[in-house]
């Protein structure tokens, strides 16, 4: 692992999210000056309000961009960062997001994380892109959490497998590429160490927590109907349907070596993550 070389403040957007708050802890424990921003922080930050950007970027040497789900002015923000003197930009994108966008027939501007990736790659300063698989934490603090508590996780994935990744691993990689040399111009695909079906993941959670929870394979049509019945915005329904189609095609099933390449160790196993997470009581509600 190379020596730490970043001096100056590190700006972390999405500071309250799954990766953001873990990244902030790692950086601060490492003695780095971190500016964590969101709409509710002392220095408020809003992707849609450019008047909040200058204060957030003042004196910043490196930026970690966790993009919003919706389209946002990524090019303008990165340009403002470079103008403010930022020397290193890192974007958290999604595994093979460019292929998903091609399936959808849209460009980077239509998908927040893809817009961030494209803007960072064109920044003209040191850049790195992280492309993780879906998070383990979807089951403990994300979209699937209510279904775990209800005892059934229903998704249109049947026997589809994916090497889900722990947010702690993403945060550790992010801290490394923000503070070390040797990662300029790299796109790292990040995954867990094994590709599991959703049924396997749910079974691991049940075993770790002692909570009766099962997986039910929905058809794409059933899942679409459920999304619409829940009143989700049409553009989100369309995106989720495409994402699951993308996953069913196996595009995200293979494991990736990004965690090991950056950290020199393997990623956290899902069963180990589930065991540690169960100890927090999160699934006992």
């Amino acid at each position: 692992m190379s020596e730490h070389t970043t001096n100056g403040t590190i700006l972390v957007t999405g500071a309250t999210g799954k990766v953001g708050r873990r990244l902030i802890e790692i950086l601060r424990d490492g003695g780095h000056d971190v500016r964590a921003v969101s709409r509710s922080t002392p220095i408020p930050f809003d992707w849609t309000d450019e008047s909040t950007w200058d204060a957030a970027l003042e004196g910043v040497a490196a930026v970690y961009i966790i993009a919003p789900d919706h389209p946002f002015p990524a090019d303008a923000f990165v340009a403002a960062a470079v103008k403010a003197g930022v020397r290193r930009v890192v974007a958290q994108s999604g595994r093979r997001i460019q292929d998903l966008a091609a399936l959808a027939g849209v460009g980077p501007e239509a998908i927040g994380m893809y817009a961030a990736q494209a803007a960072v790659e064109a920044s003209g300063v040191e850049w790195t892109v992280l492309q993780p698989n879906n998070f383990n934490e979807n089951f403990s603090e994300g979209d699937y959490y209510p279904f775990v508590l209800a005892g059934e996780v229903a998704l249109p994935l049947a026997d589809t497998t994916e090497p889900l990744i722990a947010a702690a691993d993403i945060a550790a990689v992010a801290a490394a590429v923000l503070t070390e040399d040797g990662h300029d111009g790299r796109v790292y695909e990040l995954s867990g160490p094994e590709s599991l079906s959703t049924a396997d993941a749910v079974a691991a959670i049940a075993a770790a927590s002692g909570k009766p929870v099962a997986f039910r394979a929905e058809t794409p049509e059933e899942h679409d109907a459920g999304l619409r019945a829940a009143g989700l915005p049409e553009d989100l329904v369309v995106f989720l349907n495409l994402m699951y189609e993308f996953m069913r095609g196996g595009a995200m099933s293979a494991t990736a070596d990004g965690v090991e390449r950056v950290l020199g160790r393997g990623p956290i196993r899902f069963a180990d993550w589930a065991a540690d997470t169960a100890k927090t009581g999160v699934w006992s509600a």
Side-chain angles (χ1 to χ4, degrees):
M1 187 174 290
S2 53
E3 294 183 0
H4 288 208
T5 58
T6 296
N7 296 312
T9 300
I10 300 173
L11 177 69
V12 177
T13 69
T16 59
K18 300 178 187 71
V19 174
R21 66 178 189 272
R22 291 171 171 88
L23 171 58
I24 290 162
E25 182 178 358
I26 293 170
L27 291 172
R28 286 180 173 159
D29 285 348
H32 297 282
D33 180 32
V34 181
R35 181 175 299 155
V37 294
S38 68
R39 290 178 181 172
S40 59
T41 47
I43 299 177
F45 179 83
D46 188 335
W47 287 117
T48 63
D49 183 357
E50 295 190 21
S51 69
T52 66
W53 296 356
D54 287 348
L57 289 166
E58 184 177 357
V60 166
V63 177
Y64 191 68
I65 300 175
I66 302 177
D69 292 333
H70 56 77
F72 76 108
D75 289 339
F77 174 76
V78 171
V82 173
K83 183 178 180 181
V86 170
R87 302 186 299 276
R88 180 173 296 177
V89 286
V90 180
Q92 180 178 303
S93 186
R95 185 96 184 265
R96 300 183 179 172
I97 191 66
Q98 62 278 356
D99 298 329
L100 176 57
L103 177 66
V106 299
E109 70 285 346
I111 303 174
M113 65 179 71
Y114 191 15
Q117 173 176 318
V120 162
E121 290 175 343
S123 65
V125 296
E126 292 183 31
W127 64 266
T128 309
V129 171
L130 307 184
Q131 290 193 332
N133 268 84
N134 287 311
F135 302 172
N136 297 355
E137 284 75 13
N138 289 345
F139 293 98
S140 61
E141 54 186 274
D143 293 342
Y144 305 156
Y145 178 52
F147 305 117
V148 174
L149 295 184
E152 181 181 77
V153 177
L155 292 169
L157 294 176
D159 296 325
T160 301
T161 63
E162 181 187 1
L164 294 158
I165 185 168
D169 279 337
I170 305 170
V173 171
V177 301
L178 282 164
T179 60
E180 300 170 0
D181 283 341
H183 306 289
D184 181 26
R186 303 288 182 87
V187 177
Y188 292 112
E189 291 190 29
L190 310 177
S191 82
E194 55 192 343
S195 196
L196 303 172
S197 68
T198 308
D200 292 334
V202 170
I205 291 169
S209 66
K211 183 177 182 62
V213 55
F215 170 69
R216 177 169 61 85
E218 290 184 312
T219 67
E221 294 76 19
E222 287 172 333
H223 194 72
D224 175 77
L227 295 175
R228 295 180 188 282
L232 272 64
E234 179 63 20
D235 58 347
L236 181 56
V237 171
V238 170
F239 178 78
L240 289 172
N241 284 336
L242 281 168
M243 183 186 72
Y244 288 124
E245 178 184 346
F246 189 63
M247 293 171 66
R248 288 192 298 270
M252 297 168 64
S253 292
T255 57
D257 64 357
V259 173
E260 187 167 4
R261 287 170 62 195
V262 175
L263 301 179
R265 63 161 176 83
I268 297 165
R269 292 178 61 249
F270 188 90
D272 293 337
W273 169 85
D276 288 341
T277 301
K279 293 174 186 176
T280 69
V282 68
W283 292 312
S284 301

